[in-house]
Amino acid sequence: MKNLLLLSALLFAQITFAQSQKNDLTFTAKATVLPVFNNNLLGAEVGLRYYITDAFSVGNNYIYTNDKFTHGFGYDTNNSIVHYLGINVPLQYDVVNKDQFQIGMGISPGLSLSTLRDKNQLKIEEHYDEETGVTTVIKTPVRLNRDAYFSVTPHIDLSVKIANIDPKSNTAIYATGNAGYQFAFGNGDFTKPSDFRNYIVSLGFTIKGALD
């Protein structure tokens, strides 16, 4: 399956067009299931894509989730939390572009960042607002380490129109699903690349409209 995703993302299929997308901008918000330490965790994803041509778009997206542990990955703690952040640059080519639905194939290079924090140790910061006279106290678990990997995710994207928002600017909202396989490369201190290699599946909505 992952080989099929990679091959599909790299080979452009026959294009079916019914509308122009050049200069269109999309905003996407999705719930995403992603691999973290060989577990499938639910995370949140937001992103933007800009259509350079009728078929090709480039963008930026962010995926976040976290998980709690009763050990410290070699550090002296029994109460740790790992924050996972994926920062990606999706390159997508739409092979089907109809008014009611689109199918895209692409690849997303990026960074996978894992930050380990000790919940037993808190960093306390106080912020005083001179205008209101209110002091805000922020308590943050102490950071123990951070690992970073280069990631590549070939993917397939499907969007189905739900409703038109503004027909004049051709702005509409779509239900969007995405499936891919994330590869991770590099070396870490408390993690390894295989902890973040697996399928990624997401579901949410996309708002797309023309900039001009």
Side-chain angles (χ1 to χ4, degrees):
M1 178 63 179
K2 64 182 179 182
N3 293 330
L4 177 62
L5 285 168
L6 180 60
L7 180 62
S8 299
L10 296 177
L11 298 178
F12 295 153
Q14 182 179 358
I15 309 168
T16 303
F17 281 108
Q19 60 179 347
S20 173
Q21 295 186 121
K22 187 176 181 180
N23 292 329
D24 279 4
L25 183 68
T26 71
F27 168 77
T28 301
K30 295 183 287 188
T32 302
V33 177
L34 65 156
V36 178
F37 296 110
N38 297 318
N39 295 319
N40 295 319
L41 296 184
L42 182 63
E45 177 179 347
V46 293
L48 292 171
R49 283 190 297 113
Y50 175 72
Y51 279 85
I52 299 173
T53 70
D54 285 337
F56 182 73
S57 63
V58 61
N60 184 228
N61 69 11
Y62 300 87
I63 306 172
Y64 172 79
T65 190
N66 65 70
D67 202 3
K68 300 174 183 177
F69 300 89
T70 56
H71 59 86
F73 296 89
Y75 292 90
D76 186 19
T77 180
N78 62 356
N79 188 15
S80 64
I81 184 170
V82 173
H83 297 276
Y84 174 87
L85 176 65
I87 304 173
N88 304 295
V89 180
L91 308 172
Q92 185 168 304
Y93 195 87
D94 288 356
V95 297
V96 175
N97 172 28
K98 296 288 189 178
D99 179 61
Q100 294 300 317
F101 69 94
Q102 289 88 42
I103 299 175
M105 297 180 181
I107 190 165
S108 298
L111 290 175
S112 296
L113 305 173
S114 299
T115 303
L116 175 65
R117 293 184 178 273
D118 182 3
K119 296 188 67 179
N120 289 335
Q121 301 182 63
L122 297 179
K123 179 181 178 181
I124 300 175
E125 296 181 350
E126 294 186 357
H127 300 274
Y128 177 73
D129 190 328
E130 295 182 355
E131 294 184 358
T132 62
V134 175
T135 299
T136 302
V137 178
I138 300 176
K139 298 180 180 180
T140 306
V142 171
R143 190 179 84 178
L144 300 176
N145 207 336
R146 175 177 290 157
D147 285 345
Y149 296 98
F150 174 70
S151 64
V152 177
T153 308
H155 66 267
I156 298 175
D157 190 271
L158 172 65
S159 294
V160 179
K161 183 186 284 188
I162 299 174
N164 289 314
I165 298 176
D166 183 5
K168 291 183 179 180
S169 62
N170 200 27
T171 301
I173 184 169
Y174 298 79
T176 300
N178 187 290
Y181 190 94
Q182 178 173 277
F183 298 87
F185 308 92
N187 297 301
D189 293 330
F190 67 97
T191 64
K192 55 186 182 298
S194 59
D195 292 332
F196 309 101
R197 291 176 186 161
N198 213 326
Y199 294 99
I200 293 182
V201 179
S202 61
L203 183 64
F205 68 89
T206 295
I207 298 175
K208 182 171 71 171
L211 288 179
D212 53 10

